[in-house]
Amino acid sequence: MIGIDMTGRVTLITGAGGGIADVFAKAAAKVYVADLEIEDAKAKAGQLREKGLQALAVGLDVTKKEEIYSLVDRIVKEDGKIDHLINCAGISYNKPYMESTDDEFRSILEVNLISVHNCCQAVLQQMIPRKEGKIVNILSASSRMGSDFFSHYSSSKFGLLGLTQSIGLAAARHNINVNGICPGLIETGLGEKQGGGLIQQMSRHSGKSQDVLRENLRRSIPLRRFQSGEDIGHMALFLCSDLAKNITCQAINVCGGMRMN
Ligand SMILES: NC(=O)c1ccc[n+]([C@@H]2O[C@H](COP(=O)([O-])OP(=O)(O)OC[C@H]3O[C@@H](n4cnc5c(N)ncnc54)[C@H](O)[C@@H]3O)[C@@H](O)[C@H]2O)c1
């Protein structure tokens, strides 16, 4: 029987982790759930610990380089290493291109792209001497197709695809794998703090009800269902396992067939 056992492995996930933290904790990794919203991180880690799993909540603003470096130092002091880095923290603005502002472009590039570069460099500094480690960046179906409705988001995720391939090349000579996952559609709070979630904002701009838009989106997916955080977690777990030791610099679609490139 083939299974994935992460006993003794240390996983750092930015963004509260949603289903990704659950999957790694269930596979017996020690999971650090790092988020700007410390209460969300505490809630997630608390739920996992109640199930007897290993999870710790930490406050982290990924746009603050010094916070990233001090967190990496702290984990390495406590656990001796970081085996997996999952860059999941992200934001989105949902609005037509002609209403998009310079400030929105700057802030989304800061969170979705530059912070991933900083997290990868900080963690690679301790992975490279060990010649071991896995990094997974959460990209998007919007890494492969532009959108009038979230042009800044799509731009940041196209950039993150290039960054993932580039860091993957730099890390490969050190036996470190770097990959991306392109989720399709997951109903989460993405974009809510930036003015409204995707379906809510599409409804506001189109005049169609949220139920009609949700159903239209569902029908646009060949498998006719949205994805879940766990779907993304399962792919991340596979990419961090020895089963995927020869996979690097890739971006894997987990989108019910919505994208094929
Ligand atoms: N929801 C989808 O349909 C979808 C599709 C494709 C890709 N994604 C990607 O999945 C990832 C997770 O998004 P989600 O849908 O779970 O949304 P979410 O809003 O539920 O999760 C994003 C998390 O990132 C955190 N965050 C935001 N700014 C941060 C910062 N500066 N420092 C630290 N943490 C910060 C938020 O607090 C939040 O917990 C994102 O990278 C997103 O782009 C989501």
Side-chain angles (χ1 to χ4, degrees):
M1 200 172 101
I2 297 178
I4 298 178
D5 180 2
M6 293 296 184
T7 303
R9 300 291 185 182
V10 179
T11 306
L12 169 59
I13 307 175
T14 73
I20 302 178
D22 297 66
V23 169
F24 276 76
K26 280 186 199 157
K30 178 173 178 181
V31 177
Y32 283 86
V33 182
D35 202 287
L36 187 62
E37 303 296 336
I38 182 67
E39 293 309 320
D40 292 350
K42 280 185 181 164
K44 170 59 69 180
Q47 285 163 15
L48 295 172
R49 280 200 306 275
E50 274 172 23
K51 293 180 187 157
L53 305 171
Q54 299 183 81
L56 285 173
V58 281
L60 172 70
D61 181 347
V62 291
T63 66
K64 304 263 164 49
K65 195 171 172 174
E66 63 285 359
E67 286 190 24
I68 297 169
Y69 276 78
S70 91
L71 176 59
V72 170
D73 279 354
R74 179 189 143 187
I75 299 175
V76 172
K77 273 196 192 99
E78 276 176 31
D79 298 291
K81 59 177 183 167
I82 297 173
D83 294 294
H84 318 130
L85 167 66
I86 317 293
N87 286 301
C88 183
I91 59 170
S92 179
Y93 296 94
N94 302 305
K95 52 164 63 173
Y97 171 66
M98 290 306 285
E99 294 179 22
S100 306
T101 69
D102 290 0
D103 282 347
E104 288 163 359
F105 265 93
R106 279 194 196 91
S107 77
I108 207 162
L109 291 175
E110 196 70 46
V111 178
N112 292 4
L113 183 60
I114 297 168
S115 77
V116 177
H117 144 68
N118 282 322
C119 289
C120 287
Q121 263 193 353
V123 168
L124 279 169
Q125 281 182 14
Q126 68 79 39
M127 282 179 175
I128 285 172
R130 295 176 50 237
K131 294 264 177 210
E132 193 181 6
K134 314 276 187 191
I135 295 177
V136 176
N137 295 331
I138 304 305
L139 314 175
S140 172
S142 304
S143 293
R144 294 185 151 135
M145 192 166 146
S147 168
D148 170 18
F149 205 66
F150 34 82
S151 50
H152 8 44
Y153 180 74
S154 185
S155 306
S156 72
K157 294 291 182 175
F158 263 75
L160 190 51
L161 174 57
L163 183 67
T164 302
Q165 293 177 352
S166 306
I167 299 174
L169 285 173
R173 70 183 72 104
H174 304 288
N175 190 41
I176 294 163
N177 304 52
V178 183
N179 288 293
I181 299 173
C182 301
L185 286 163
I186 314 163
E187 284 210 70
T188 65
L190 188 66
E192 274 173 17
K193 290 199 188 94
Q194 289 76 46
L198 176 64
I199 292 174
Q200 185 194 353
Q201 289 298 81
M202 282 173 80
S203 169
R204 196 166 74 80
H205 284 274
S206 68
K208 292 183 184 152
S209 79
Q210 292 190 30
D211 285 346
V212 165
L213 288 164
R214 188 176 288 104
E215 183 56 12
N216 288 348
L217 284 172
R218 190 186 68 76
R219 283 167 179 272
S220 72
I221 304 168
L223 282 176
R224 300 283 190 271
R225 57 179 176 254
F226 291 89
Q227 285 72 62
S228 69
E230 283 76 12
D231 292 334
I232 312 310
H234 291 144
M235 178 54 73
L237 186 71
F238 168 70
L239 290 171
C240 288
S241 76
D242 283 346
L243 298 175
K245 66 176 185 287
N246 283 317
I247 301 176
T248 199
C249 302
Q250 303 304 308
I252 319 277
N253 296 324
V254 179
C255 62
M258 214 167 80
R259 296 280 181 278
M260 300 180 199
N261 53 339

